[in-house]
Amino acid sequence: QNDMTGWKTILRYGQKEGLNSIGLALEGNGRLAITAWGGDNEYFLNSQNLADDQWHQVIWSLDKGTAKTFVDGALVDTRTHLGASNNTPLSNMATKTGEGCIGQNTLAPGFHEYWKGKIDQVRIYNRALSSLEAAQLYQSEYGTLDQGLVAYYPFNGNANDESGNDNNGTVNGVTNLTTDAKGTPQKAYSFSGSNGDYIEVPDNPQLALHDRN
């Protein structure tokens, strides 16, 4: 997307309690934000502006207290703590089941963190991906990396989960199907940036984040 007025949520899952939530978003200047809940429980990647009206792949993983972020198949950030003052170990993160959403932060509707743009190929794993796997997913675009896959939303005409785990999404508002990165119609979702336009993700323990300590 290129409309970056305010904070735009890509994905959010968990509860409104400290480290019991995980979210990916773009901040006002187009930098990627990784956030738990409240105060200093977040950090930003200043390496590039992702609000450039181009498709980008973002992967975030947590393994033994170390978080890695990949953009377009390349490792761009590695860290062990949340917050500007590096005071909260990422090893403390463990989301609880709760509200999950793509394209809006339903945990904080009053903040108007609605995505405006396209989203496609959303995957949730119960394990951390390696650098090689992140690169492979980017190179293949619609890869078949199935080990540990607990939810997969390729948006093939709907918001169904194609991982085989039946974590089907529910489309809310005027979120519409559109062309994907290859130009194929009805293969991605376009979000209007308005209140109530998002895809709800099921409340399922399968999708909760747990670090492998």
Side-chain angles (χ1 to χ4, degrees):
Q1 69 168 16
N2 60 7
D3 179 354
M4 282 310 301
T5 304
W7 186 288
K8 307 295 185 181
T9 298
I10 302 169
L11 174 69
R12 166 69 72 177
Y13 187 82
Q15 296 182 4
K16 291 193 289 186
E17 299 175 12
L19 302 183
N20 294 329
S21 172
I22 181 65
L24 276 69
L26 287 189
E27 200 232 0
N29 59 5
R31 62 180 180 168
L32 184 66
I34 312 297
T35 173
W37 183 263
D40 205 29
N41 291 329
E42 60 190 22
Y43 62 89
F44 303 92
L45 277 62
N46 297 310
S47 56
Q48 64 188 114
N49 178 4
L50 297 182
D52 57 1
D53 210 22
Q54 302 295 318
W55 282 98
H56 292 285
Q57 181 201 70
V58 175
I59 295 175
W60 186 83
S61 70
L62 180 64
D63 187 18
K64 298 179 181 178
T66 298
K68 295 183 178 181
T69 306
F70 303 85
V71 176
D72 296 337
L75 179 64
V76 298
D77 186 80
T78 301
R79 66 182 67 209
T80 58
H81 288 71
L82 282 163
S85 58
N86 289 331
N87 60 348
T88 307
L90 278 156
S91 58
N92 292 347
M93 290 193 71
T95 64
K96 295 181 179 179
T97 56
E99 293 188 46
C101 50
I102 300 168
Q104 181 175 328
N105 182 5
T106 55
L107 297 182
F111 290 115
H112 309 293
E113 300 172 358
Y114 321 126
W115 184 262
K116 186 175 182 180
K118 298 179 180 181
I119 297 179
D120 193 18
Q121 296 293 315
V122 177
R123 294 168 177 257
I124 301 174
Y125 289 85
N126 63 10
R127 65 180 183 88
L129 299 185
S130 68
S131 295
L132 178 59
E133 289 171 328
Q136 288 174 336
L137 276 179
Y138 179 67
Q139 292 164 2
S140 64
E141 294 190 56
Y142 307 147
T144 56
L145 188 60
D146 296 333
Q147 181 184 355
L149 188 65
V150 293
Y152 174 38
Y153 306 102
F155 298 147
N156 290 325
N158 53 52
N160 290 342
D161 170 24
E162 296 192 14
S163 71
N165 293 303
D166 294 325
N167 290 308
N168 296 327
T170 301
V171 179
N172 293 273
V174 293
T175 305
N176 297 312
L177 285 160
T178 186
T179 56
D180 64 7
K182 294 182 177 181
T184 307
Q186 307 293 296
K187 290 286 189 176
Y189 272 99
S190 177
F191 298 79
S192 69
S194 300
N195 184 17
D197 294 348
Y198 66 99
I199 295 174
E200 182 179 356
V201 176
D203 181 347
N204 189 329
Q206 277 188 318
L207 307 183
L209 171 70
H210 297 286
D211 187 19
R212 187 180 66 179
N213 296 309

